[in-house]
Amino acid sequence: MRGEIGAVSGMDEQKINVFHVCTKGLEDRLLFWDDDDYRFGIRIAAFSAFRHKVMIAAYCLMTNHVHFMVCADNRERVVCFLNDFKKEYSRYHCRRHGVPNVLKRVGSMIKQMNDVSYIRNCIAYILRNPVEGGLVRDAGQYEWSSVNCYFSGNASLLYRPVSSLLVKEAKRMLHTHCNLSGSGFMFDGNYDIVPESFVAGGFVESLFRNSREFFWNRVAKVDSAVMELELAFSGRIRYNDYELICRMENVVRERFNKTSVSQLDVNERCKMAGYLYRRMYAGASQIARVLGFDRKIIREILGLSGSLQAGKV
């Protein structure tokens, strides 16, 4: 695995390390509003990784946060990659939406991964995020992750290499001052960077023993609840009951078109339980209190009863 990434990126294969990188979810606004935002976010991630000699193994752009699994020879390069991504996307977001510094003060996590099985689970967790977030029913349906960069053949051969562009043309059409010579990037008819040309698909495939079935089985069955606890931010905001109830009222209006939690039916309360757990980092006991459910039922709804010991949430 190290040898492949080293050969592709020019890194010292003896020093390559794997990291999970993510930003904390924005509470009060969207990070990506439409397809153009997502496309530009992917482009910025590719350019930032190239500048700082970081290889992206997996990524997922969600509405209010991002995940990356990256390979680098040291943590400092990963920090520079993340800071560069946050700075460049914030500039773009401000130009387009008028909101300055959207990612400047957003908390981030960089966690080094050493165990191969754990890396597999983390990649599966990253790619399954849109399913857990209720955006799609199947991870393969989500357009803004790297999920379809693996076991898909050599799709990049269908596109043009960035090296075929003149330097000035590349800067104008790709909206970057980064010198991309030697990047190996490909672009499509819209001058968007093709994910297969910068995602380390072969590395990920080798992690899953070059088995498509093994890969999709892990993505479908990874225990996201456990991974979220293990990957949790140490600085996550925890709301008291009153604060949580106040924030729930906005969610009830936006998601269910109702005015109070008391108007939600059982099915809607179950959905709300999942939202509070994933988005507001509430524990099972607190969710049970504010929704009026038994704690054991909440643990079953969240899928925690069989995987975690009582009292760990």
Side-chain angles (χ1 to χ4, degrees):
M1 293 181 289
R2 288 175 178 247
E4 178 189 349
I5 295 299
V8 172
S9 64
M11 301 179 192
D12 182 345
E13 64 182 76
Q14 299 303 318
K15 297 181 180 179
I16 294 174
N17 301 290
V18 182
F19 300 86
H20 178 212
V21 180
C22 60
T23 61
K24 185 176 180 181
L26 299 178
E27 294 290 343
D28 56 351
R29 62 175 58 92
L30 294 177
L31 188 57
F32 304 99
W33 286 84
D34 56 23
D35 291 359
D36 287 340
D37 285 355
Y38 283 109
R39 282 195 289 264
F40 214 88
I42 291 172
R43 178 184 299 174
I44 290 172
F47 294 164
S48 296
F50 178 69
R51 271 194 291 266
H52 298 288
K53 297 183 179 179
V54 169
M55 183 63 68
I56 296 177
Y59 70 83
C60 184
L61 307 186
M62 298 290 285
T63 54
N64 71 339
H65 69 286
V66 300
H67 286 274
F68 298 101
M69 177 72 77
V70 302
C71 302
D73 57 13
N74 58 61
R75 183 183 180 89
E76 287 70 27
R77 290 194 186 279
V78 181
V79 172
C80 290
F81 155 71
L82 178 58
N83 288 341
D84 195 28
F85 172 82
K86 291 169 69 173
K87 179 183 71 174
E88 292 298 325
Y89 188 77
S90 291
R91 286 178 177 174
Y92 160 81
H93 196 277
C94 184
R95 289 196 304 269
R96 186 158 192 241
H97 301 294
V99 179
N101 302 320
V102 68
L103 283 173
K104 185 175 182 180
R105 295 182 177 84
V106 172
S108 306
M109 181 200 73
I110 299 175
K111 181 172 182 176
Q112 186 169 350
M113 307 284 167
N114 297 308
D115 179 73
V116 172
S117 179
Y118 192 74
I119 294 173
R120 289 190 193 116
N121 283 339
C122 192
I123 290 174
Y125 163 75
I126 290 172
L127 300 178
R128 190 171 170 76
N129 249 238
V131 177
E132 296 297 326
L135 301 179
V136 292
R137 297 184 64 180
D138 180 84
Q141 298 172 338
Y142 194 64
E143 188 174 358
W144 312 116
S145 81
S146 59
V147 69
N148 291 311
C149 292
Y150 320 112
F151 304 101
S152 58
N154 207 344
S156 292
L157 293 177
L158 301 174
Y159 304 100
R160 287 181 60 191
V162 169
S163 59
S164 68
L165 298 173
L166 297 175
V167 174
K168 290 184 178 180
E169 185 181 12
K171 289 181 178 179
R172 183 178 72 255
M173 302 307 296
L174 300 177
H175 305 284
T176 181
H177 294 289
C178 179
N179 183 353
L180 299 175
S181 59
S183 67
F185 292 159
M186 312 290 288
F187 64 92
D188 62 18
N190 296 317
Y191 287 89
D192 289 322
I193 299 299
V194 179
E196 289 90 341
S197 69
F198 69 85
V199 170
F203 169 68
V204 174
E205 290 169 10
S206 68
L207 281 173
F208 289 89
R209 304 169 188 162
N210 295 308
S211 170
R212 181 194 302 267
E213 182 179 1
F214 182 28
F215 169 78
W216 284 108
N217 183 65
R218 187 62 63 93
V219 171
K221 295 183 178 180
V222 65
D223 194 329
S224 296
V226 171
M227 293 299 296
E228 285 188 359
L229 289 177
E230 293 181 352
L231 297 168
F233 288 104
S234 59
R236 274 180 170 173
I237 297 174
R238 297 289 181 177
Y239 300 106
N240 61 39
D241 288 358
Y242 175 76
E243 292 171 327
L244 193 65
I245 290 171
C246 289
R247 283 164 174 76
M248 284 170 56
E249 291 177 353
N250 292 329
V251 177
V252 168
R253 285 193 294 270
E254 293 174 3
R255 293 173 66 97
F256 304 107
N257 196 29
K258 295 183 178 180
T259 58
S260 69
V261 175
S262 62
Q263 294 180 343
L264 299 181
D265 60 31
V266 173
N267 184 53
E268 290 168 337
R269 289 186 184 222
C270 290
K271 292 180 180 179
M272 177 63 79
Y275 180 89
L276 295 178
Y277 180 70
R278 289 190 298 269
R279 303 298 185 193
M280 296 188 178
Y281 315 126
S285 297
Q286 186 179 31
I287 294 173
R289 286 197 300 273
V290 298
L291 290 181
F293 271 131
D294 182 90
R295 184 172 179 271
K296 291 183 178 180
I297 294 176
I298 290 295
R299 289 180 63 80
E300 291 178 0
I301 292 172
L302 300 177
L304 301 176
S305 57
S307 57
L308 297 175
Q309 294 177 3
K312 291 294 184 180
V313 178

